[in-house]
Amino acid sequence: MNNLSVTKSNNLIDASYKLNVQAQKLILACLSKIDPRGEVPKEITITATEFGELMGIPNARRDLYKAADTLFDAVIIIANEHEISRLRWVQKDVKKHKGEGSVTIYWTEDVLKYISQLKQRFTTYKLRNIANLQSAHSIRIYELLMRFHSTGERIISLNDFKSALGISDKYPEFKILNRAVIKPSIDELNNSSDLTVEYETIKKGRSVAA
């Protein structure tokens, strides 16, 4: 399990969505069980034991079921030059097998396009490198950075950054965003992931733009 990887299309990496930390870890644990080079099955089952071992969570059944409960209503927004698309992760409620301590996820056809038969424009990272992160924002920032891991730096507009984290409607002042989201996430990445991260702001006039 130490060598399991997560692979997503770059469109999905840069998409706008907001999931709590348990739901993000459930999605990523499921992605680590599939081969993105081939045709990914429409459904996947994961046990509480697997989930706990992958993410270092003791007594993981409660977290597994809590994560499953949030997926049905979760929306992904993918924007390109021509259109904005709203997708769902799952096509129906996640099925809980309470006696077995497991859940089954049913991917939507839309999501399968971004996790299946990937040949180009995708990002891969080791699952173990996000397993200890306790913040949903930290996980998303980790993915945004890994997309540009080969160059070692990324410039991202403030609007795109907030959109990717699903917080476009929050933190209108940069100093509050920095204090509540950016600095705590970067500190956690430096302490609990394989990345060493520094950041600086780019201003347009007096305001932070990127």
Side-chain angles (χ1 to χ4, degrees):
M1 289 187 177
N2 228 13
N3 290 318
L4 293 178
S5 296
V6 173
T7 301
K8 293 180 178 180
S9 161
N10 287 343
N11 287 328
L12 189 54
I13 292 282
D14 287 339
S16 173
Y17 61 85
K18 187 174 183 181
L19 293 171
N20 63 36
V21 68
Q22 292 96 341
Q24 283 209 55
K25 287 187 173 183
L26 174 55
I27 289 288
L28 299 179
C30 288
L31 291 180
S32 76
K33 287 165 57 73
I34 63 179
D35 182 356
R37 298 167 298 180
E39 187 171 349
V40 172
K42 292 183 178 179
E43 63 182 68
I44 185 168
T45 298
I46 186 168
T47 67
T49 300
E50 283 180 298
F51 189 52
E53 289 178 352
L54 289 171
M55 297 300 179
I57 303 171
N59 305 314
R61 185 177 298 202
R62 183 183 64 179
D63 278 9
L64 180 64
Y65 290 158
K66 183 177 179 182
D69 284 337
T70 67
L71 283 184
F72 182 69
D73 292 323
V75 173
I76 308 164
I77 300 174
I78 294 181
N80 58 39
E81 296 176 0
H82 309 292
E83 62 180 359
I84 296 176
S85 303
R86 287 170 56 89
L87 323 175
R88 291 190 182 275
W89 288 101
V90 294
Q91 61 179 320
K92 58 183 178 180
D93 268 335
V94 173
K95 187 175 184 180
K96 300 177 187 176
H97 310 282
K98 293 192 175 180
E100 304 169 18
S102 63
V103 299
T104 299
I105 286 179
Y106 305 90
W107 305 111
T108 61
E109 292 288 345
D110 289 322
V111 163
L112 282 171
K113 293 187 297 186
Y114 298 108
I115 62 174
S116 179
Q117 297 180 313
L118 299 179
K119 309 298 183 189
Q120 57 185 353
R121 292 183 51 78
F122 58 81
T123 295
T124 299
Y125 59 86
K126 297 294 185 185
L127 184 69
R128 65 174 182 266
N129 292 331
I130 59 89
N132 293 325
L133 300 179
Q134 300 302 311
S135 162
H137 294 325
S138 297
I139 294 174
R140 286 296 286 131
I141 293 173
Y142 182 90
E143 292 186 328
L144 293 172
L145 295 176
M146 286 301 292
R147 169 135 143 61
F148 284 75
H149 186 256
S150 61
T151 62
E153 66 177 0
R154 175 172 195 175
I155 296 174
I156 185 169
S157 75
L158 195 60
N159 288 338
D160 287 346
F161 176 81
K162 291 175 66 176
S163 175
L165 271 59
I167 54 173
S168 293
D169 58 340
K170 296 183 177 180
Y171 310 111
E173 294 184 45
F174 177 79
K175 64 180 181 181
I176 299 175
L177 174 71
N178 192 38
R179 184 173 67 236
V181 176
I182 300 174
K183 190 176 186 306
S185 297
I186 298 304
D187 287 346
E188 185 175 36
L189 290 178
N190 286 331
N191 290 326
S192 302
S193 80
D194 61 319
L195 295 183
T196 301
V197 185
E198 297 177 353
Y199 68 100
E200 60 187 47
T201 58
I202 300 172
K203 289 189 174 183
K204 188 175 182 179
R206 294 186 176 181
S207 301
V208 173

